[in-house]
Amino acid sequence: MSSLIDEVLKEAGFSDAAIAEVKTGKLHYGGSLDAASDKELSVKLAFHVEGKIDNIKLVFLHLPAKKKYDPTVGALGMIATDGGDGSLEDFAGIKLSPNEVTMDKLYSNAAPGSDLNLSKDEIDAFKKLDKKATHEEIENGLRQVLLN
């Protein structure tokens, strides 16, 4: 494995010993992560798969089979088509509609274990919005969460 993979695993919290274990082909269980609620199971795993990934972008972004296997996928694509980090403008088309009132209530009352399935940081971002936030402010908050 390349040093880039080592960096990614280290950033994810894996020790040098764990990375060495993965390099030998073993599955490494990195422990449980903090769950946002008692309904969530969060674990950290690492394993090595031999093979070339020359067409990984095609596989993960453009194969229509993803929608077949996961009907919740509405669209696939790159956020920043220029290869950059992206910007809020990249999410300008994201709208909480057609049920604005219901969606506004869901995001305004975001909590662990809710139907939104948000992380702790995402829930905190929505809690920082004023309880009387406008629909536009909630949509802008969602765009910021997606960018982050």
Side-chain angles (χ1 to χ4, degrees):
M1 285 193 289
S2 72
S3 62
L4 175 61
I5 299 297
D6 292 2
E7 288 177 36
V8 169
L9 289 173
K10 281 184 183 184
E11 188 173 329
F14 289 94
S15 67
D16 290 337
I19 294 169
E21 191 175 87
V22 170
K23 287 180 177 180
T24 66
K26 294 181 181 176
L27 171 69
H28 181 79
Y29 168 67
S32 296
L33 301 171
D34 291 337
S37 78
D38 61 349
K39 297 178 184 177
E40 181 178 271
L41 173 65
S42 301
V43 296
K44 183 169 45 172
L45 303 171
F47 55 93
H48 178 74
V49 177
E50 288 287 336
K52 293 184 179 187
I53 56 172
D54 295 335
N55 64 344
I56 199 73
K57 185 176 176 181
L58 169 73
V59 171
F60 282 98
L61 295 178
H62 302 293
L63 289 183
K66 287 191 102 41
K67 290 184 181 183
K68 175 181 171 189
Y69 299 117
D70 186 353
T72 63
V73 173
L76 301 169
M78 294 294 291
I79 293 168
T81 55
D82 64 357
D85 292 331
S87 67
L88 286 174
E89 292 81 38
D90 293 320
F91 296 99
I94 300 292
K95 304 286 184 201
L96 293 174
S97 59
N99 302 314
E100 289 99 349
V101 173
T102 301
M103 297 306 290
D104 289 351
K105 284 182 185 177
L106 279 172
Y107 282 96
S108 294
N109 297 311
S114 73
D115 290 340
L116 294 174
N117 193 27
L118 299 173
S119 71
K120 287 180 179 181
D121 290 342
E122 292 166 342
I123 291 168
D124 289 344
F126 286 105
K127 288 198 178 295
K128 287 179 184 173
L129 293 175
D130 188 286
K131 279 291 183 186
K132 296 179 183 177
T134 66
H135 178 71
E136 183 176 302
E137 290 169 330
I138 293 169
E139 282 186 342
N140 287 337
L142 175 59
R143 291 182 191 108
Q144 187 63 54
V145 163
L146 291 171
L147 177 62
N148 293 342

